[in-house]
Amino acid sequence: MQGAQTEKVPREYGLPWPDYELLDAGGGKKLERWGKIITIRPEIQADFKPGWPYAQWLDMAHWEFEEQSSTQGRWLNIKPHAPEQWRISYGNLNFGLKLTQFKHVGLFPEQQANWRFIKERVSAGQKVLNLFAYTGAASLVARDAGAEVVHVDSVKQLITWANENQERSHLSGIKWVHEDALKFAQRELKRSKQYDGIIMDPPAWGLGAKGEKWKLENHLSGLIETAHGLMNPGAFLILNTYSPKIERTDLAASAGQYFSAKQLEIKQLWLPTKTGKELYCGNLLRAIK
C-alpha cells in the first residue's frame, strides 16, 4: 500500500512504547522489537523497499517466521538460546508472548491506537463488550480503567491466554465467554443488554467455536447492526478490518445505515517504523451513538 494511496485518507497511528517498536518494514516483511526479542515476520502490506539492508535485519533478529502455507509456518532460530516465550508490558499491563505456528506472538501492536482511545473514553463502572477479543489487550485496558468487561472469543486457548494476561497484570473480574462472537452479541441483544463500549477486531476469515466458516465481508452489516442495538446513548464502537475485500466505502455504507455521518469516523490504521517507513494495518471505524 506504500505509495499506492492516491486519495487523502485520514490516518491514525499506533505508536511505539518502551517494550515495542516496528524497527523497519519492506520486501514483504517486518522487523519488530518486543521487549528484548526481535522478530522478522511476513507482511503482505510491506510492498516497498526496506530502510535497512536485510543482512542488518538478520544481524539483529532472534527469530524469523517462514511461511509453509497460506495459514501456517515455522520459526527459524537465528540467535541461539533465544526464548520461545517471554513477557512485555504496556504501562502497568503485562502480556505473555510466544511463538505460534500462525506467525503471531500474542499482540497486535497497531491496536495501541485503540488502547489510547479506550483509556480516554472508559470510566469506572461502565460496561464494555470486547468481541473477537484475542489475548485480551483491549479488555485489560478497559478493565484497568474500571470498566465491567465481557470478553468473547471462539478459541478456548486464546481465552486461557487472555486470563493469564489478566493475572500477570494483577487484575481480576473480566467475564470470559467462549463462543462465536456474533451469535453471543445477537443473544445479548435479545436479552436487552446494553453496553457503554463495544470493541470488535474480527478476523478477515476463520472458524467459529463449532467450526463454522467465517468471512468478514459476509457479516459486516450484521455486526454493525447488532453493535448499534447493544449501545447505550453516548456509547462508543471500535471496529477494525484487515480484510482486502472490505474497502473504506464498504465500511461507510454499512455503518451509514445505523449511524449519522457526524457520529462516524473512518480512518486507516498505520504503524511508523524507526527507519521512516510507514506500514498500513487496515481500516478503522469508530462511532459514538
Side-chain angles (χ1 to χ4, degrees):
M1 296 287 293
Q2 185 88 5
Q5 304 295 321
T6 51
E7 58 172 324
K8 271 290 182 185
V9 177
R11 293 184 178 188
E12 182 140 355
Y13 288 85
L15 301 177
W17 67 91
D19 266 1
Y20 175 82
E21 59 183 332
L22 180 58
L23 298 169
D24 195 12
K29 299 181 181 186
K30 55 188 174 184
L31 180 72
E32 298 167 282
R33 179 182 64 79
W34 314 82
K36 294 180 179 178
I37 302 301
I38 294 176
T39 62
I40 300 171
R41 296 192 290 166
E43 178 49 70
I44 193 169
Q45 301 292 355
D47 56 352
F48 46 86
K49 189 177 177 184
W52 293 333
Y54 192 59
Q56 186 174 338
W57 285 31
L58 289 173
D59 189 51
M60 298 170 73
H62 297 82
W63 296 97
E64 178 171 11
F65 188 84
E66 180 185 69
E67 287 182 307
Q68 295 176 308
S69 72
S70 60
T71 57
Q72 295 186 33
R74 61 175 182 160
W75 288 91
L76 306 176
N77 181 219
I78 299 172
K79 298 226 177 353
H81 313 299
E84 296 184 30
Q85 298 187 36
W86 68 101
R87 294 186 184 186
I88 69 169
S89 63
Y90 175 76
N92 57 345
L93 304 177
N94 296 294
F95 303 103
L97 303 185
K98 59 187 173 186
L99 308 177
T100 73
Q101 62 184 343
F102 310 109
K103 85 180 177 184
H104 303 301
V105 299
L107 276 183
F108 293 114
E110 69 275 7
Q111 293 304 315
Q112 192 270 351
N114 288 322
W115 305 343
R116 297 194 315 259
F117 179 86
I118 294 164
K119 187 174 181 180
E120 290 167 6
R121 293 283 316 186
V122 170
S123 56
Q126 289 190 321
K127 292 181 168 62
V128 172
L129 176 62
N130 189 8
L131 302 170
F132 314 94
Y134 193 49
T135 59
S139 297
L140 295 189
V141 172
R143 183 71 188 123
D144 193 45
E148 297 174 22
V149 179
V150 179
H151 171 115
V152 186
D153 202 282
S154 66
V155 181
K156 198 169 182 64
Q157 298 95 312
L158 291 178
I159 289 179
T160 300
W161 194 340
N163 190 25
E164 290 168 352
N165 285 335
Q166 177 181 232
E167 292 170 357
R168 291 182 184 106
S169 301
H170 308 291
L171 294 171
S172 62
I174 293 174
K175 180 183 177 182
W176 310 107
V177 179
H178 173 224
E179 200 170 329
D180 178 274
L182 179 54
K183 288 179 181 174
F184 176 80
Q186 288 169 336
R187 273 207 301 282
E188 286 286 86
L189 193 56
K190 288 179 182 174
R191 292 188 281 247
S192 301
K193 294 291 180 73
Q194 296 278 281
Y195 290 90
D196 303 298
I198 297 180
I199 304 159
M200 295 194 284
D201 192 10
W205 59 272
L207 296 175
K210 296 179 181 176
E212 313 95 316
K213 288 188 178 177
W214 165 274
K215 287 186 179 178
L216 179 55
E217 60 268 24
N218 297 338
H219 298 284
L220 184 63
S221 286
L223 279 171
I224 295 173
E225 179 183 15
T226 305
H228 181 265
L230 288 169
M231 293 166 70
N232 280 322
F236 68 84
L237 169 64
I238 298 171
L239 171 61
N240 301 281
T241 68
Y242 194 69
S243 169
K245 295 190 176 178
I246 296 177
E247 303 285 344
R248 287 177 64 252
T249 50
D250 300 321
L251 271 179
S254 292
Q257 299 175 67
Y258 310 101
F259 298 96
S260 69
K262 67 179 182 180
Q263 291 176 311
L264 276 174
E265 179 181 52
I266 301 176
K267 301 178 176 180
Q268 289 179 340
L269 196 52
W270 290 72
L271 277 174
T273 74
K274 196 171 181 179
T275 60
K277 305 287 180 176
E278 295 186 340
L279 184 65
Y280 170 71
C281 300
N283 291 313
L284 168 62
L285 177 149
R286 292 194 190 127
I288 307 294
K289 188 171 180 180

